[in-house]
Amino acid sequence: MSISLLYESEEWSTYALQSRIREQGIPCRLVCMEDEISQEQFLECDLVVNRVFASAQFRGHERSLKQMPGLIAYLRERQIPMLNPYQAHFYEVSKELSARVLSSHGLPTPEVYGSFQKQEGFGLEDVLNALPEGLKYPCIVKPNCGGRTTHTYIIHSEKELKETLPWLPNIEMIVEEYIEPVYGFLTRIEIIGGECRLIVKRSVTENGLSAYHLGSKYQNYPDCSREIQEAAIEAMSILDIRFGSLDIIESGSRFSIIDVNAVSNVSEDNTEMFHFDLMKETAQYIAQQYKKIKTNDI
């Protein structure tokens, strides 16, 4: 009996997590969701850990995303535990869903104007007609299922929107309120087991976006307000994400949760940068939950 670690991308963090779990004395095998999988193989598994990213489709890994709902239904039916829990995956792959759920619970999120999708053969007028009504400028247009700022645009006017539409992929896009990061950074909070374990500032680049691959700089954020930390913990509790991350924009007297991830990624140099091994800390939490399962205490 063991842990099965689902993955779709050859990320350093996936192999690091597997290694850290094994260091806890727990067998852990990798299952690539890009392969044709046999669901019956999970009958010999005590716990499934999910590392299928919403951004999988941008790496040509659509198969992983397509296989996940069926596998989740199978695991749920047979009561095979999954971390994060089953429903967390659906928040990972729908920014609109996670934002609307958090907003319905009174947490601060950007206003979601709606979503739309280009179709093959759509002209400009067709796309404009598909846009959600009532959108205001400036706004953010980004994939509903995605990440790492891929195909993400800050739009300041209808003219800019028309210029951007031809470049959008034929996938579901979400349109939401743009909140300016007036302090020049986004707050990234890593949550494990209902605790804020790492809080950093990630700088905004010249295009107004913030991402490691765009050249954003990171620094520790020890004086992040208690209000923001408590909101982050509450958000993850509402979405039942036991370990993952949030991006938050602080803007004057307000803050807003702009993104939630049920799968956290990290590189080896990030570990050295923060003197914090996110995969080790995550593995320790997974090991605790695994032991509870083995003793029927979960």
Side-chain angles (χ1 to χ4, degrees):
M1 307 296 276
S2 64
I3 290 176
S4 290
L5 181 58
L6 309 180
Y7 78 104
E8 47 81 18
S9 178
E10 299 295 326
E11 304 283 339
W12 173 87
S13 54
T14 296
Y15 294 97
L17 182 59
Q18 180 193 34
S19 176
R20 302 295 189 270
I21 291 172
R22 287 176 169 175
E23 288 171 3
Q24 302 293 317
I26 302 171
C28 180
R29 66 189 180 102
L30 293 177
V31 178
C32 180
M33 292 298 292
E34 280 301 289
D35 296 335
E36 184 175 349
I37 62 169
S38 167
Q39 295 179 341
E40 286 74 18
Q41 68 180 292
F42 296 100
L43 292 174
E44 300 179 358
C45 173
D46 293 302
L47 176 65
V48 176
V49 176
N50 179 22
R51 292 214 20 108
V52 174
F53 294 87
S55 57
Q57 62 178 325
F58 302 138
R59 293 184 297 279
H61 294 170
E62 294 90 346
R63 186 177 192 178
S64 294
L65 293 172
K66 289 179 180 178
Q67 291 199 93
M68 282 301 298
L71 176 58
I72 288 172
Y74 179 87
L75 297 176
R76 191 194 295 270
E77 180 183 349
R78 286 154 182 80
Q79 299 184 336
I80 300 171
M82 183 174 179
L83 287 177
N84 281 298
Y86 315 118
Q87 61 270 28
H89 172 74
F90 299 103
Y91 293 124
E92 164 75 12
V93 299
S94 176
K95 297 182 184 299
E96 182 173 12
L97 177 62
S98 59
R100 291 195 185 280
V101 168
L102 293 181
S103 179
S104 72
H105 283 80
L107 287 174
T109 63
E111 180 180 356
V112 177
Y113 300 127
S115 58
F116 71 98
Q117 182 170 348
K118 286 172 57 179
Q119 303 291 340
E120 289 294 337
F122 262 30
L124 178 58
E125 289 303 316
D126 297 312
V127 180
L128 290 173
N129 290 333
L131 291 171
E133 295 181 2
L135 70 85
K136 302 172 186 176
Y137 300 100
C139 62
I140 287 276
V141 176
K142 61 185 179 182
N144 191 34
C145 175
R148 308 183 191 187
T149 68
T150 305
H151 300 302
T152 297
Y153 301 90
I154 302 171
I155 307 296
H156 296 89
S157 65
E158 183 176 353
K159 179 177 181 292
E160 274 191 25
L161 180 60
K162 290 180 178 180
E163 292 172 348
T164 302
L165 288 175
W167 301 99
L168 299 181
N170 295 346
I171 61 174
E172 187 178 28
M173 306 292 287
I174 182 175
V175 186
E176 63 182 22
E177 172 191 10
Y178 170 67
I179 299 173
E180 183 181 3
V182 295
Y183 301 123
F185 67 87
L186 269 61
T187 302
R188 163 61 66 93
I189 302 181
E190 297 285 351
I191 304 281
I192 302 176
E195 297 180 3
C196 298
R197 301 302 305 277
L198 178 66
I199 308 176
V200 299
K201 297 177 180 180
R202 191 178 66 216
S203 67
V204 175
T205 58
E206 288 185 4
N207 65 0
L209 302 175
S210 176
Y212 185 61
H213 73 274
L214 294 177
S216 291
K217 305 299 182 184
Y218 288 74
Q219 65 180 98
N220 281 308
Y221 191 8
D223 54 345
C224 178
S225 76
R226 172 50 54 184
E227 182 184 12
I228 290 177
Q229 294 185 50
E230 290 176 352
I233 292 170
E234 183 181 358
M236 295 306 235
S237 176
I238 289 168
L239 302 180
D240 204 9
I241 298 176
R242 310 295 175 80
F243 47 85
S245 62
L246 306 94
D247 287 333
I248 296 172
I249 288 182
E250 299 177 52
S251 181
S253 60
R254 68 177 289 201
F255 66 89
S256 185
I257 300 169
I258 64 166
D259 202 10
V260 180
N261 304 293
V263 186
S264 280
N265 197 27
V266 69
S267 61
E268 195 166 8
D269 58 327
N270 289 149
T271 300
E272 297 172 355
M273 184 188 309
F274 303 129
H275 306 290
F276 179 84
D277 191 332
L278 179 62
M279 292 301 103
K280 179 180 178 180
E281 299 294 326
T282 303
Q284 289 176 346
Y285 175 78
I286 292 170
Q288 291 171 3
Q289 302 308 299
Y290 176 84
K291 291 171 183 177
K292 287 181 179 180
I293 292 168
K294 296 292 286 183
T295 58
N296 296 314
D297 190 29
I298 191 170

